[in-house]
Amino acid sequence: MSRKRRALVTAAAVAALALAGMPALAADIPPPDTVVTSPNVTHVANIPKPAPIAATINTDLAFQGNYAYVGNYGGFSIYDISNPRKTKVVSSVVCPGAQMDVSVYGNLLFSAVDSSRNNDSCASVSQSATVKESWEGVRIFDISDKANPRYIKSVETNCGSHTLTLVPGKGRDRHRNVYLYVSSYSPSATFPDCPPPHDKISIIKVPLANPTAAAVAATPVVFPDGGNETQPGLLVPTSGCHDITVYAEKDIAAGACMGDGVLFDIRDRLNPKVTARTTDLNFAFWHSATFSNNARKVVFTDELGGGGAATCNEAIGPNRGADAIYDIRNGQLVFRSYFKIPRFQADTENCVAHNGSLIPVKGRDIMVQAWYMGGLSIWDFTDSSRPREIGYFERGPRAAGDGGGIWSAYYYNGYIYGADFHEGLDVVKISDRLTDSARHVRTDRLNVQTQESYHR
């Protein structure tokens, strides 16, 4: 392509190339900090991080009613999204401790702390996990007053809580208890509360009538014979799980467990059983999972480089740092294809597959997904062997020269919300014939790792 021709390439033309599956040239990477979108995507709003936690990065999201809850290494914030175009901050809680993965249920907010602290308080500071008295695990807040959340309980867990997944009880138990599947990893013989092997998860039982009685109720071992530890190219060997997505009404779960992808039977909430397991030579770190609405497929993500590397470039290629799509046949995982955003990012941009959610379109499998500095991608995997991107939103490289991007991107009641490390909360809308029907689907709560069907 001549220099003159490159100068004439517009953002719309780049979008057309990307949606056709043709990677844009390095010369087509957006200018620093510039927002670009596909023609069917609109950037509705951006709300900067509140001052109390502006210095620390945003992480995961949860939703309930007219509110969004945004985790942050420094705590969490509550946003009023009753009018998404005029989203506003209601409150911020300063309570540091990476990485503040959040889930909500009723008047409770649960947050994951995978950062060894000198105590469990919101005034705590970092302290080595080699010190027996150090604390990490789960914090519970009462959010009945959105303007003034109250910290009511902590539960310490082995190796902390990198992520947590809310699991409702079954039958009569449904209105009595919720359970938290706590994923953690990276044990060490020098850590008194996290020695190897650590091939397990922790399950916290939370009595809804008395949440301050929450406690660890079980620690089932996922890999009694050890996980994938010797595969070349692993970020770290399997020593637990990174994240678990449950589909409670179907009594199943999918675990992204570092070097392994697994399926669980969770009919017994305190005793999940592994029913299928797989590995992939192209995967460095099994990071997260999403079921299709009918639970006949599951998408696993690979966090190649741990989220800090530039992996969305020609050198890495389309099959690493990507999604892997599996059909579930006779209870087993059958690999079908990979999906990766078809837009090259600059070598200064950390980019890799990260957290996303389904868009509730009847009869199709479509999801929105965060890719750190690759922005967010809306893509269709109805044909699990031929996934394709149908829309996107991203920013150019950061003028500051450091990393960042969108940690989580989820669809909730007609809009897409993206939690950006530095830029705050983005509100995005897609207008496309493939997704327009989703606007009529409403829910009153969304914890993405607690998947619920949207058409029964």
Side-chain angles (χ1 to χ4, degrees):
M1 182 181 288
S2 69
R3 186 173 300 170
K4 179 179 179 181
R5 173 62 181 144
R6 284 197 192 102
L8 295 174
V9 174
T10 65
V14 173
L17 288 171
L19 295 181
M22 300 170 60
L25 300 178
D28 299 323
I29 291 170
D33 297 332
T34 301
V35 169
V36 294
T37 69
S38 55
N40 57 353
V41 169
T42 303
H43 189 200
V44 173
N46 171 262
I47 303 89
K49 290 183 292 183
I53 53 175
T56 44
I57 67 171
N58 279 342
T59 58
D60 208 10
L61 292 152
F63 302 87
Q64 191 175 54
N66 289 325
Y67 297 94
Y69 303 83
V70 182
N72 180 289
Y73 271 46
F76 67 92
S77 297
I78 302 176
Y79 293 78
D80 181 339
I81 57 171
S82 54
N83 182 347
R85 296 179 181 276
K86 296 183 179 180
T87 294
K88 58 187 178 183
V89 177
V90 176
S91 61
S92 285
V93 172
V94 177
C95 197
Q99 61 181 7
M100 290 299 289
D101 190 20
V102 293
S103 287
V104 294
Y105 193 93
N107 288 326
L108 302 175
L109 179 142
F110 306 97
S111 63
V113 180
D114 189 25
S115 165
S116 187
R117 319 293 296 175
N118 67 325
N119 59 56
D120 65 352
S121 76
C122 287
S124 66
V125 296
S126 294
Q127 179 171 281
S128 173
T130 61
V131 179
K132 172 64 178 174
E133 291 74 24
S134 294
W135 179 90
E136 53 188 326
V138 173
R139 293 178 177 136
I140 304 174
F141 293 83
D142 182 324
I143 54 171
S144 52
D145 181 352
K146 303 296 186 289
N148 296 286
R150 255 184 337 112
Y151 180 21
I152 62 171
K153 174 70 175 179
S154 73
V155 181
E156 186 171 15
T157 56
N158 295 142
C159 300
S161 176
H162 194 73
T163 62
L164 56 80
T165 303
L166 188 145
V167 189
K170 291 186 62 177
R172 293 181 179 178
D173 190 44
R174 183 176 182 87
H175 301 293
R176 297 173 180 171
N177 300 290
V178 295
Y179 301 86
L180 304 176
Y181 286 4
V182 174
S183 296
S184 54
Y185 54 92
S186 293
S188 170
T190 66
F191 298 164
D193 296 323
C194 184
H198 180 75
D199 294 320
K200 61 185 178 181
I201 63 173
S202 298
I203 302 178
I204 297 172
K205 182 178 180 180
V206 183
L208 294 174
N210 183 20
T212 58
V216 173
T219 55
V221 176
V222 179
F223 303 106
D225 300 317
N228 182 9
E229 300 178 357
T230 60
Q231 177 183 309
L234 288 180
L235 183 67
V236 285
T238 298
S239 59
C241 291
H242 176 273
D243 206 356
I244 295 172
T245 293
V246 300
Y247 206 150
E249 67 194 71
K250 297 181 183 293
D251 287 328
I252 58 174
C257 300
M258 306 173 70
D260 298 79
V262 302
L263 295 179
F264 294 94
D265 178 332
I266 61 166
R267 283 175 290 183
D268 182 345
R269 298 293 196 249
L270 290 173
N271 190 27
K273 299 286 190 181
V274 173
T275 58
R277 177 177 165 190
T278 190
T279 59
D280 186 327
L281 291 175
N282 280 320
F283 262 44
F285 191 84
W286 295 70
H287 177 274
S288 52
T290 303
F291 286 103
S292 61
N293 187 54
N294 62 11
R296 294 175 185 168
K297 303 170 190 171
V298 63
V299 175
F300 287 103
T301 67
D302 174 26
E303 193 181 40
L304 176 67
T311 69
C312 298
N313 53 28
E314 188 172 11
I316 297 297
N319 297 338
R320 299 176 61 225
D323 297 321
I325 305 159
Y326 287 81
D327 286 351
I328 301 175
R329 297 178 186 169
N330 299 318
Q332 299 302 302
L333 294 163
V334 179
F335 174 78
R336 296 303 305 276
S337 65
Y338 296 109
F339 171 78
K340 193 171 183 180
I341 55 173
R343 291 163 283 112
F344 291 149
Q345 304 296 301
D347 289 338
T348 60
E349 294 182 279
N350 56 304
C351 175
V352 74
H354 219 246
N355 294 342
S357 75
L358 292 183
I359 297 179
V361 178
K362 185 176 182 179
R364 300 197 72 85
D365 299 314
I366 298 176
M367 68 181 291
V368 58
Q369 183 179 357
W371 290 79
Y372 279 176
M373 292 195 73
L376 64 83
S377 175
I378 300 127
W379 60 287
D380 187 329
F381 63 104
T382 305
D383 181 344
S384 54
S385 64
R386 299 186 65 182
R388 65 188 183 95
E389 184 176 74
I390 61 174
Y392 71 86
F393 162 95
E394 69 163 305
R395 290 182 173 87
R398 282 177 56 79
D402 58 350
I406 296 178
W407 180 290
S408 297
Y410 300 148
Y411 183 96
Y412 181 72
N413 291 348
Y415 291 83
I416 294 166
Y417 297 84
D420 189 285
F421 280 43
H422 304 293
E423 303 302 325
L425 181 64
D426 285 306
V427 185
V428 172
K429 192 172 183 66
I430 182 168
S431 298
D432 190 284
R433 63 179 181 80
L434 290 177
T435 60
D436 284 348
S437 64
R439 292 179 297 185
H440 305 294
V441 179
R442 288 290 183 269
T443 183
D444 60 1
R445 182 177 63 244
L446 180 66
N447 297 303
V448 167
Q449 289 75 33
T450 309
Q451 212 166 314
E452 299 182 35
S453 62
Y454 49 81
H455 291 290
R456 297 181 186 275

